[in-house]
């Protein structure tokens, strides 16, 4: 019987060391290559902006408090869900009311939440959609605002993962620092 138990115990110990110690240490060491993300930078969590002078973030799917990192999740509402349609319609209405002269199509990321419900980024198209409103309300030249948008646009990760994105919080902080 000891002949059968010994290999099982050795396999158990080896897997315990491998999955309980070696793997977590390796993942932690690898994460340190990305200190901002590994350390939980608050700039990686979306913020609620609703004043016309600011670029607006993606909507939050966390509840009851928006952008609550402790409640990270998507809404799980499918494309046929009536509540999702109503929420999107309300968000489009708010965008149209904030900038009545803007007749361009509203980018999807301005009216739908990300999978985590916390995304701090918008697409360059979403930033472009809001650019004229922000420039007008702040009495800034659109070219100056466009330069700030470009400065806060991040490319694909490692040049191939994801899409270009604009960090809304960083952009809005830069706009406030610009003094308008």
């Amino acid at each position: 019987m000891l002949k059968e138990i010994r290999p099982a115990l050795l396999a158990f110990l080896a897997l315990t060391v491998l999955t309980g110690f070696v793997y977590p240490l390796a993942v932690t060491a690898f994460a340190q290559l990305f200190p901002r993300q590994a350390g939980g930078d608050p700039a990686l969590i979306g913020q609620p902006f609703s004043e016309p002078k600011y670029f607006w973030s993606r909507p939050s799917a966390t509840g009851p408090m928006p952008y609550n990192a402790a409640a990270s999740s998507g809404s799980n509402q499918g494309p046929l869900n009536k509540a999702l349609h109503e929420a999107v319609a309300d968000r489009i209405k708010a965008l149209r009311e904030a900038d009545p002269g803007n007749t361009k199509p509203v980018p999807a990321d301005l009216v739908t939440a990300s999978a985590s419900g916390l995304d701090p980024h918008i697409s360059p198209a979403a930033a472009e959609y809001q650019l004229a409103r922000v420039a007008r309300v702040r009495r800034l030249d659109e070219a100056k605002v466009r330069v700030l948008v470009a400065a806060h646009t991040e490319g694909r990760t490692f040049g191939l993962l994801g899409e270009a994105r604009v960090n809304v919080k960083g952009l809005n902080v830069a706009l406030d620092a610009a003094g308008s």
Side-chain angles (χ1 to χ4, degrees):
M1 184 162 144
L2 186 59
K3 190 176 183 181
E4 286 112 19
I5 292 177
R6 185 173 177 196
L9 286 175
L10 287 175
F12 172 73
L13 289 173
L15 287 172
T16 299
V17 169
L18 185 65
T19 61
F21 298 104
V22 175
Y23 177 75
L25 289 173
V27 169
T28 301
F30 178 74
Q32 299 314 306
L33 296 173
F34 310 95
R36 200 176 108 206
Q37 291 87 343
D41 186 350
L44 297 174
I45 297 175
Q47 304 293 315
F49 294 101
S50 58
E51 293 179 54
K53 71 178 186 172
Y54 290 115
F55 282 88
W56 295 359
S57 305
R58 286 189 81 154
S60 174
T62 65
M65 186 175 76
Y67 304 101
N68 178 3
S72 173
S73 69
S75 69
N76 291 331
Q77 295 173 332
L80 301 178
N81 186 293
K82 184 179 177 184
L84 177 63
H85 282 270
E86 290 171 0
V88 167
D90 289 345
R91 294 167 185 159
I92 289 173
K93 181 181 175 191
L95 285 162
R96 297 282 189 216
E97 287 174 354
D99 193 6
N102 190 345
T103 59
K104 296 182 246 178
V106 176
D109 57 320
L110 286 178
V111 294
T112 57
S114 65
S116 70
L118 300 171
D119 198 344
H121 300 94
I122 57 175
S123 67
E128 182 63 33
Y129 177 85
Q130 301 179 77
L131 194 138
R133 179 197 77 225
V134 172
R136 184 179 61 256
V137 171
R138 289 180 176 264
R139 296 184 173 97
L140 291 172
D141 182 45
E142 283 188 29
K144 182 176 181 179
V145 176
R146 195 168 270 111
V147 167
L148 287 172
V149 169
H152 290 86
T153 300
E154 304 167 11
R156 293 172 176 239
T157 304
F158 304 121
L160 61 121
L161 299 175
E163 297 294 328
R165 58 211 176 272
V166 179
N167 187 301
V168 177
K169 182 179 179 185
L171 175 57
N172 285 334
V173 168
L175 281 164
D176 284 344
S180 291

